């Protein structure tokens, strides 16, 4: 019984350290807005309403930064991004679409990806681009929700 108790305490501590390490490395859900990725913080800094109905999930934050964001239908940030970021129309055949689709966290709404409206940073996925924010956005026509893949390469 003592061995079982020690093993349980050790397992719990290991899991807690693993989760803290992952979140410090930019993996997993962001619990606080203050921890959101740099690019997302820059987008929402000028208008507090941009913070509403946005969920961010980290995909890595070491030298390169990667994250995925869910923007609910009534998120004013979605309209802001589509009208103020240099994006071009694309489709589900985009070179990074499988990366976006494969990184959607469990529990987020599921989309019919073939019926989404897609937008991307020009050249993203087709050529190596460094030092700028790169986006791939899929907007679900049925729900109006969007998923955005963000990447910044060193």
């Amino acid at each position: 019984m003592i061995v079982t108790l020690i093993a349980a305490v050790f397992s719990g501590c290991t899991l807690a350290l693993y989760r803290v390490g992952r979140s410090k490395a930019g993996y997993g859900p962001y619990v606080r807005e203050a921890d959101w990725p740099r690019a997302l913080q820059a987008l929402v800094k000028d208008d507090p309403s941009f913070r509403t109905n946005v969920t961010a999930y980290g995909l890595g934050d070491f030298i390169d930064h990667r994250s995925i964001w869910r923007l609910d239908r009534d998120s004013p940030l979605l309209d802001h991004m589509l009208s103020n970021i240099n994006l071009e129309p694309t489709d589900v055949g985009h070179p990074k679409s499988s990366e976006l689709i494969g990184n959607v966290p469990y529990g987020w709404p599921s989309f019919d990806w073939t019926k989404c409206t897609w937008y991307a940073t020009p050249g993203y996925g087709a050529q190596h681009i460094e030092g700028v924010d790169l986006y791939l956005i899929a907007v679900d026509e049925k729900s109006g929700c969007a998923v955005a893949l963000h990447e910044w390469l060193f």
Side-chain angles (χ1 to χ4, degrees):
M1 186 156 107
I2 292 175
V3 171
T4 304
L5 180 63
I6 291 171
V9 169
F10 178 75
S11 295
C13 291
T14 303
L15 181 61
L17 288 172
Y18 173 75
R19 287 184 178 168
V20 167
R22 282 183 56 86
S23 68
K24 292 289 185 195
Y27 290 97
Y30 291 97
V31 178
R32 301 176 323 141
E33 287 180 17
D35 297 331
W36 277 0
R38 173 200 50 79
L40 182 53
Q41 287 187 21
L43 284 170
V44 302
K45 74 177 179 176
D46 294 332
D47 188 340
S49 72
F50 290 163
R51 292 179 170 85
T52 59
N53 301 314
V54 176
T55 305
Y57 191 93
L59 302 174
D61 191 13
F62 183 57
I63 294 173
D64 297 337
H65 310 275
R66 293 179 60 237
S67 58
I68 193 165
W69 314 336
R70 186 183 76 220
L71 307 159
D72 294 336
R73 172 192 336 194
D74 47 358
S75 171
L77 181 59
L78 178 58
D79 291 331
H80 175 75
M81 290 177 69
L82 294 178
S83 58
N84 292 300
I85 296 176
N86 182 26
L87 299 170
E88 62 186 15
T90 188
D91 57 31
V92 72
H94 187 275
K96 291 284 190 170
S97 64
S98 61
E99 189 173 331
L100 181 147
I101 295 166
N103 281 302
V104 172
Y106 176 78
W108 284 19
S110 58
F111 298 163
D112 180 349
W113 300 105
T114 60
K115 293 184 178 174
C116 287
T117 305
W118 292 78
Y119 304 92
T121 302
Y124 180 41
Q127 60 193 47
H128 185 74
I129 305 171
E130 295 181 348
V132 297
D133 293 310
L134 304 168
Y135 297 95
L136 176 61
I137 301 172
V139 181
D140 182 53
E141 73 174 34
K142 185 175 179 182
S143 69
C145 293
V147 175
L149 177 67
H150 169 264
E151 192 168 12
W152 185 90
L153 303 173
F154 175 68

